[in-house]
Amino acid sequence: MRGTRSGTGAALAAGTLALTGLVLAPTAAAVAPTSATIDADCGSFGGGAATLTATQDGTAATITVNSSAITAPIGLGEDSIASTLTLVKAGGGTTVFTATENPAMDAGDPVQVGPLPGTVASGDSLEAYGGSLTMTVFGITITCTATGPQSPGPFVFD
């Protein structure tokens, strides 16, 4: 009977330690805000409102760009748009997010690119205004720029 109590006590102690470890474990890094809007000018390809959505996992971050105001001029296959998003750092310099990631789109569909991966540091404050989004489709390069600061404000990474 004494061995059963010791075994139960040890199991209870191990369970308590495991639970304490979960409670005290560091949380995943977070970016705030997680989404922001801009007005984009894409030259002769159009322009309008676009939403940038950010995620963060440590120093790895992604940005996805969606716009119902900017539409696909023709049908586009999945992962057919090479995109580079350049965001401006509050302290100077830029951070680049780049990939060939997009869903398939029919002509006239809202444009979506991403998630575009990039590297961030704790405390980075990144803004679309002053940067650009370059998309290359079938050898044609489209450059979009923000016409003003993003709302509600820059992305700040933990």
Side-chain angles (χ1 to χ4, degrees), residues 110-133:
V111 168
Q112 176 182 329
V113 294
L116 307 174
T119 303
V120 296
S122 180
D124 275 356
S125 178
L126 303 178
E127 165 72 57
Y129 187 54
S132 65
L133 171 64

Side-chain angles (χ1 to χ4, degrees), residues 28-126:
V31 58
T34 55
S35 117
T37 57
I38 61 168
D39 280 320
D41 178 3
C42 301
S44 61
F45 293 96
T51 301
L52 285 68
T53 305
T55 64
Q56 180 185 5
D57 185 7
T59 60
T62 64
I63 307 276
T64 301
V65 182
N66 291 287
S67 177
S68 57
I70 304 165
T71 58
I74 59 173
L76 300 169
E78 181 178 2
D79 299 337
S80 61
I81 303 173
S83 303
T84 300
L85 175 65
T86 303
L87 298 179
V88 177
K89 288 185 182 181
T94 59
T95 299
V96 176
F97 297 82
T98 188
T100 304
E101 291 283 336
N102 63 275
M105 292 173 257
D106 291 327
D109 280 354
V111 168
Q112 176 182 329
V113 294
L116 307 174
T119 303
V120 296
S122 180
D124 275 356
S125 178
L126 303 178

Side-chain angles (χ1 to χ4, degrees), residues 18-28:
L19 182 59
T20 302
L22 286 174
V23 170
L24 298 177
T27 58

